[in-house]
């Protein structure tokens, strides 16, 4: 079976349209296709996908991972708290920024958290868990993740 790598994803040959697709397409795939189209809001699928993406990112430190988040336009991450047991990361300008607010405490950025989880688990060579604790669509000022080391 052919398996693609992250480096393969950087190879493009779209002379007319280039390497960008509209945020509307990404939102449609994520929130209408996966979230509304799959059982349980697609949570199992997005977690599996996100972890696999994270495992394949060419990063070796938390700082490189956060820089990659910004380079890939996932959002602008910043560490709010960091100690030997946990890291709290806020992500400004997330893909969900500007969407209408949903019911209280609804979180839609589980893919982004799973990407963090996959990358950190591989990087640290031990199980890391990530939980989204704040989301723009719930009225918060940014998306936020609690990372348990």
């Amino acid at each position: 079976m052919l398996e693609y790598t992250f480096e393969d994803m950087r190879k493009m040959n779209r002379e007319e349209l280039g390497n960008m697709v509209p945020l509307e397409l990404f939102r449609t795939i994520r929130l209408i296709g996966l979230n509304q189209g799959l059982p349980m809001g697609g949570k199992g699928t997005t977690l599996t996908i996100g972890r696999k993406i994270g495992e394949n990112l060419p990063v070796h430190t938390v700082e490189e991972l956060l820089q990659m988040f910004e380079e890939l336009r996932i959002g602008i991450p910043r560490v709010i708290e960091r100690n030997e047991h946990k890291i709290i990361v806020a992500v400004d300008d997330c893909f969900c920024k500007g969407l209408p607010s949903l019911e209280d405490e609804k979180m839609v950025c589980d893919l982004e958290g799973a990407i963090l989880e996959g990358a950190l688990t591989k990087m640290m060579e031990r199980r890391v868990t990530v939980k989204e604790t704040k989301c723009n669509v719930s009225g918060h000022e940014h998306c936020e993740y609690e990372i348990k080391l």
Side-chain angles (χ1 to χ4, degrees):
M1 178 173 93
L2 175 66
E3 289 192 20
Y4 287 108
T5 66
F6 184 77
E7 287 306 313
D8 292 329
M9 298 301 108
R10 290 186 164 174
K11 297 173 184 171
M12 294 174 212
N13 187 13
R14 286 176 31 132
E15 293 177 20
E16 300 228 5
L17 296 178
N19 67 348
M20 302 299 280
V21 296
L23 184 57
E24 296 88 355
L25 176 60
F26 180 73
R27 285 176 165 181
T28 301
I29 292 167
R30 284 280 308 284
L31 300 178
I32 295 175
L34 293 173
N35 190 276
Q36 295 174 18
L38 294 175
M40 298 180 355
K43 294 287 185 201
T45 302
T46 54
L47 293 177
T48 300
I49 291 168
R51 288 176 185 136
K52 191 67 171 174
I53 291 169
E55 291 169 6
N56 281 279
L57 292 178
V59 294
H60 301 93
T61 66
V62 172
E63 292 70 28
E64 287 179 2
L65 175 58
L66 299 182
Q67 182 179 357
M68 177 69 69
F69 246 56
E70 192 164 347
E71 286 174 14
L72 293 174
R73 299 171 157 295
I74 295 170
I76 303 169
R78 58 190 159 87
V79 174
I80 293 177
E81 180 182 333
R82 187 175 189 171
N83 62 46
E84 62 185 273
H85 302 291
K86 76 176 176 181
I87 303 171
I88 297 180
V89 173
V91 177
D92 295 305
D93 226 11
C94 185
F95 94 99
C96 70
K97 183 89 175 192
L99 284 169
S101 293
L102 297 174
E103 59 202 59
D104 289 340
E105 301 310 310
K106 176 77 173 170
M107 308 285 168
V108 298
C109 298
D110 51 316
L111 177 73
E112 292 73 12
I115 291 171
L116 291 170
E117 187 174 294
L120 291 166
T121 294
K122 182 178 178 189
M123 185 184 312
M124 297 182 170
E125 298 179 336
R126 63 183 167 148
R127 183 76 172 119
V128 172
T129 60
V130 177
K131 180 180 179 187
E132 184 182 14
T133 57
K134 292 183 181 179
C135 189
N136 287 299
V137 299
S138 295
H140 297 107
E141 68 280 2
H142 57 256
C143 294
E144 191 171 294
Y145 301 91
E146 180 180 54
I147 302 164
K148 292 185 181 178
L149 307 172

